[in-house]
Amino acid sequence: MNASALSPVHRAYAERNLPRYTSYPTALAFDTAQAEAGAAWFGRTRAEDKLSVYVHVPFCRRLCWYCGCHTTVAHDHQRVDAFVEVLSREVDLVAARLGEHDGLAHLHFGGGSPNALRPAQFSALVERIKGAFRVRPGAEIAAELDPGLLSKAFIDAAGEAGVTRVSLGVQTFDPAVQALVNRIQPHDQVARAVEQLRDVGVGGLNFDLMYGLPGQTPENVHASARLAALMRPDRIAVFGYAHVPWMKKHQVMIRQADLADTDGRWAQAEAADAALVEAGYMRIGLDHYALPSDSLSLAAAEGRLRRNFQGYTDDPAPVLVPIGPSSIGQFREGFVQNHAPTDQWAAKVNQGALPLNKALAIDAEDRTRAALIERLMCDMVVDVAAVCRDLGTTDQIVAESLAATDDLIAAGLCSREGTVIRIPEPARRLMRVVAARFDNRLPQTATRHAKAV
Ligand code: SF4
């Protein structure tokens, strides 16, 4: 293991609170006053639009102490059954409200844990969505699943429903770390899930790993990444734990004393990187890795990589349709978000209304800044003037953005040649610091984001 240390200058940047830029503007800018306007955007989709649909399942069978997701533990199945009924109603409601489109190209189940549903419920839901949005041949159907509680019956249901990609929350293989975060899942259990998923024809496999969890060290992060790579998932994401117990109450179960400082977190992230690159994975954007043959690696090589609420993707769909509590959608006009509390979301759906709580209309300047940030987060290089020219925005953004990078150039976080900004490989993990210089809404939201590393 050969990890490079964090320099004092870079440490100061690594400790800044910054968005993950899975969208620009970020969700913190969404506004309840715009929800009604957002509802009208559903009807303005175009005949050529391929749809991406995101379904949020806000239930889990256990609560991991590090969790930052919108979820609750479903102790009784009646709650889940009632939820699935409302969700099915919402599918029909949303499908009826959409304008013309060219069918469903990408369906993603996230959560929570979609495998908190019964296998038959999951299959029925997939069928209903495929019918309601007219699934296209070859569509990607993806689900995030908790491998610790994944039954063979659910895996069979996923195979029969035509699921093409599964993301398994692996996080760490270290038993001591698993105990500290209330997520016991032995290596054999994950290996069995992988084998069974492949047996039923799920062709795409993603793993999520973490660093910065209590009890993690560069050594045990390296060992977990090596074990993960041995199973040859197509993609591996490595996320840093964000300790925000004032926002996520259950995180008080994690002792601050068990957490590494910034230098320790950096060393852990470097250790995961070393293990994955050594195992033949390509670096993708900020925190993803993919086998060279995977479509994400090909998209990255060809400049087609995209970043959306699910992270890095090669999905070019212009319309993201939200289903389920807290789900975020995207239209040409802007972003929408559903009510997060399940009772409020259900009440709206039961009234026959779209369950939107917030929306944000975007203008030409937002689109330009979003494109600049997305290219930096995906390609680590952007020609600021070319993006502004393509999107018909002003030279003022070019001048402002270029001037805003002066200190970063001095610190080695990026270089500038004419109007081209480039992030060098050693600064990859700090790319959010560079991207943030193109964000003119950051001052209002800075303290609500996690640290850059
Ligand atoms: S399984 Fe995932 S969503 Fe559920 S509590 Fe654990 S980390 Fe959170």
Side-chain angles (χ1 to χ4, degrees):
M1 204 175 68
N2 188 13
S4 65
L6 189 58
S7 73
V9 176
H10 288 182
R11 185 181 306 117
Y13 287 112
E15 289 180 343
R16 296 200 174 170
N17 295 86
L18 294 171
R20 297 187 56 76
Y21 291 120
T22 51
S23 72
Y24 181 81
T26 69
L28 290 178
F30 300 178
D31 180 5
T32 49
Q34 295 189 37
E36 209 178 307
W41 303 336
F42 284 70
R44 296 193 199 143
T45 53
R46 301 177 189 167
E48 70 272 20
D49 288 347
K50 293 177 181 53
L51 304 181
S52 192
V53 172
Y54 174 74
V55 182
H56 190 82
V57 178
F59 295 110
C60 290
R61 303 244 191 93
R62 57 179 173 182
L63 186 59
C64 314
W65 300 146
Y66 61 82
C67 182
C69 300
H70 173 63
T71 190
T72 52
V73 177
H75 292 294
D76 68 287
H77 241 295
Q78 278 172 341
R79 256 180 91 198
V80 179
D81 295 349
F83 163 78
V84 172
E85 253 182 57
V86 180
L87 198 70
S88 305
R89 232 169 275 149
E90 187 189 9
V91 168
D92 296 346
L93 179 73
V94 171
R97 292 288 287 270
L98 281 180
E100 289 186 275
H101 60 80
D102 197 23
L104 173 63
H106 191 138
L107 171 59
H108 190 104
F109 287 88
S113 306
N115 54 317
L117 305 186
R118 298 179 206 269
Q121 281 175 324
F122 179 75
S123 317
L125 195 56
V126 174
E127 285 314 308
R128 191 159 188 144
I129 294 170
K130 281 179 174 175
F133 297 103
R134 284 189 286 107
V135 68
R136 294 173 59 82
E140 170 110 304
I141 302 178
E144 298 167 12
L145 302 178
D146 175 356
L149 298 164
L150 185 53
S151 67
K152 177 70 171 75
F154 196 95
I155 290 175
D156 289 341
E160 279 159 30
V163 169
T164 56
R165 180 172 297 281
V166 162
S167 295
L168 293 179
V170 173
Q171 325 308 7
T172 171
F173 284 113
D174 190 280
V177 178
Q178 289 185 359
L180 284 172
V181 297
N182 194 37
R183 191 181 173 99
I184 305 293
Q185 49 186 38
H187 174 272
D188 287 358
Q189 197 173 28
V190 176
R192 199 177 325 119
V194 166
E195 200 182 312
Q196 292 174 342
L197 285 164
R198 286 182 170 143
D199 282 350
V200 300
V202 175
L205 210 54
N206 301 8
F207 279 7
D208 288 347
L209 296 178
M210 290 184 78
Y211 68 87
L213 290 173
Q216 280 191 304
T217 61
E219 289 71 25
N220 65 34
V221 168
H222 187 270
S224 287
R226 227 169 49 81
L227 283 173
L230 284 174
M231 292 186 211
R232 302 318 271 172
D234 309 273
R235 302 174 187 173
I236 299 178
V238 183
F239 299 119
Y241 166 58
H243 191 56
V244 285
W246 54 95
M247 278 165 65
K248 295 283 172 186
K249 298 278 177 256
H250 51 266
Q251 291 186 353
V252 297
M253 299 301 290
I254 292 177
R255 293 190 328 148
Q256 182 76 46
D258 290 332
L259 298 174
D261 61 8
T262 306
D263 288 58
R265 287 170 65 90
W266 181 272
Q268 291 173 25
E270 287 278 296
D273 178 88
L276 297 177
V277 170
E278 196 182 300
Y281 283 83
M282 312 287 294
R283 295 185 180 108
I284 307 285
L286 175 66
D287 47 17
H288 282 42
Y289 297 82
L291 290 174
S293 56
D294 183 73
S295 60
L296 214 53
S297 296
L298 302 177
E302 294 164 10
R304 292 184 290 103
L305 193 65
R306 304 295 310 269
R307 185 151 171 86
N308 69 13
F309 297 102
Q310 281 100 58
Y312 287 99
T313 178
D314 54 351
D315 174 15
V319 175
L320 174 62
V321 179
I323 304 281
S326 79
S327 281
I328 293 177
Q330 185 171 7
F331 295 90
R332 282 186 184 80
E333 295 87 348
F335 299 98
V336 294
Q337 183 167 27
N338 284 349
H339 282 280
T342 305
D343 54 346
Q344 290 177 25
W345 159 82
K348 282 283 191 184
V349 174
N350 288 334
Q351 289 161 16
L354 290 173
L356 297 185
N357 178 38
K358 294 179 181 174
L360 183 74
I362 52 172
D363 60 16
E365 180 171 343
D366 288 328
R367 273 187 205 98
T368 304
R369 293 184 182 279
L372 293 168
I373 289 171
E374 187 177 32
R375 287 341 311 154
L376 276 172
M377 296 292 292
C378 290
D379 304 338
M380 297 170 63
V381 58
V382 68
D383 184 340
V384 179
V387 169
C388 290
R389 197 171 51 238
D390 289 350
L391 293 172
T393 43
T394 62
D395 286 349
Q396 197 192 336
I397 299 179
V398 181
E400 272 175 17
S401 320
L402 296 179
T405 53
D406 284 348
D407 64 312
L408 303 183
I409 293 167
L413 264 58
C414 65
S415 65
R416 191 171 67 210
E417 211 173 300
T419 60
V420 175
I421 303 284
R422 191 179 301 275
I423 300 171
E425 188 54 49
R428 177 183 289 268
R429 201 157 294 115
L430 294 170
M431 63 170 65
R432 291 195 283 155
V433 177
V434 184
R437 297 301 165 93
F438 298 86
D439 176 350
N440 68 346
R441 295 174 183 258
L442 188 61
Q444 296 100 55
T445 62
T447 54
R448 300 191 53 199
H449 301 288
K451 297 212 183 308
V453 171

